Structures are given as C-alpha cells and as structure tokens.
Amino acid sequence: MKRLVKGALLAAGTALAISAAPAMSAAAAASGTETLSGTIVFVAGPGTNSRTVIGSVVRAGGVFRGVGRVVELVLPNPAGVSQDDLVFRSGTMNVVSTPGPLLSFSVNPHSCLFTGTQQFTWDVAGGTGQFDDAIGSFTGTVSAVALLARNPDGSCSLTPLPFPRLEVDKFAESGTLSF
C-alpha cells in the first residue's frame, strides 16, 4: 500500500510540475498591444532654466494594465528628446520620447496662453521590476496648454527657454509592449 501511495504522489507531482511549466513561462513574459494615456503638470522653477513636475498620472491598458505616475529624468534637449520613467506599483518603464511634427498651435498675445498638439514617439527600453527587460514602441499625440513667459518687451516668449510658467500636457500613445 505504501508503495502505491508513493507512486501516486510521484505521478501527481510530476503531472503538476508539467502542467504548471507552460503557465509559469506565459506569466513570465507578455507581449501585445498597449495604450498609455495621462496628464503631466509642470511649473517653472525659480530660475529661468528649470521646471518641476508637480503632478502626473499615466494609465496603461492592454497587455499591461495599471495606473502610475510620470517622472521626468532628462529635460528635453534642443531637438525635444527627453527621458522619463513611467512608475507603476509593479515596476518602472524607461521611456525616451521624441517629438514629431507640430500639428497645430495658437498663442493668445494678450494672455500668453499657448495651446498646441504635437505628434510624439515613445520607445521603452528596459526598466525595473516587472519591466526589467521591457521593450516597446508607441506613437501618439501630446496636447499642451501653457502659460508662456514674457520677453522684456512684454511679448510672449516662443523660445524653449525660459520654460512656460505653467504647463499641462495630456498624452495618448498606442503601440506594442513586451516585458
């Protein structure tokens, strides 16, 4: 009887290990379509060459679902390329964003209120936690409303520096993500 029980337990354990193996590898890697959308709010720092994110939210839907925040790591360079982290409970995605064509914009010369929409591409290259080996590519748009700084003559400053006094960006990106 002991021998029969041992054999049954061994067979059951082997069957369990074999049936769990595909499930474990499927959970370890995911790939598919993804959307990322959210809002970032910036204010200009005390100096003319700094800005601070005072609030952000990012919502992910698709192969990964979650809500997190955006952390700006490297300010946009003259070409507009920046590096950000999308921080979720399960890990952080490292993102490089590159601007595309400016689709539309307007500036109210009296209030210096800027509104505009621009295409952007986002590339995900690694991260932490669940996104340690993540790769992805996204395209979409960023719509901005900003209170521009004024030039010494009182006109609205359209140059990248000084940064706008206040800026709210809404983004919507779609593409693929593997992690």
Side-chain angles (χ1 to χ4, degrees):
M1 179 75 170
K2 256 186 185 176
R3 182 181 248 182
L4 190 58
V5 171
K6 280 184 181 176
L9 287 173
L10 180 61
T14 303
L16 182 61
I18 290 170
S19 67
M24 286 188 279
S25 63
S31 182
T33 60
E34 186 70 38
T35 60
L36 298 167
S37 60
T39 303
I40 308 169
V41 180
F42 304 96
V43 294
T48 58
N49 295 330
S50 67
R51 69 179 186 179
T52 303
V53 174
I54 60 169
S56 68
V57 66
V58 58
R59 185 178 137 307
V63 68
F64 169 74
R65 295 174 104 99
V67 176
R69 62 189 173 91
V70 179
V71 175
E72 190 172 64
L73 299 176
V74 177
L75 294 175
N77 64 22
V81 177
S82 64
Q83 293 178 4
D84 304 302
D85 278 347
L86 305 181
V87 181
F88 298 97
R89 175 179 274 173
S90 59
T92 298
M93 285 186 224
N94 302 132
V95 176
V96 174
S97 62
T98 306
L102 186 62
L103 301 175
S104 66
F105 80 96
S106 65
V107 177
N108 179 320
H110 301 292
S111 65
C112 287
L113 189 65
F114 168 93
T115 57
T117 302
Q118 186 165 22
Q119 289 182 337
F120 265 83
T121 60
W122 285 9
D123 292 307
V124 175
T128 64
Q130 182 176 2
F131 307 108
D132 208 22
D133 297 318
I135 57 169
S137 182
F138 297 85
T139 58
T141 58
V142 175
S143 298
V145 176
L147 184 58
L148 301 177
R150 291 197 180 268
N151 293 317
D153 67 1
S155 63
C156 304
S157 174
L158 298 176
T159 60
L161 295 176
F163 286 111
R165 296 186 337 202
L166 176 67
E167 181 177 346
V168 178
D169 293 351
K170 293 185 179 206
F171 59 88
E173 300 281 324
S174 62
T176 58
L177 178 67
S178 297
F179 60 97

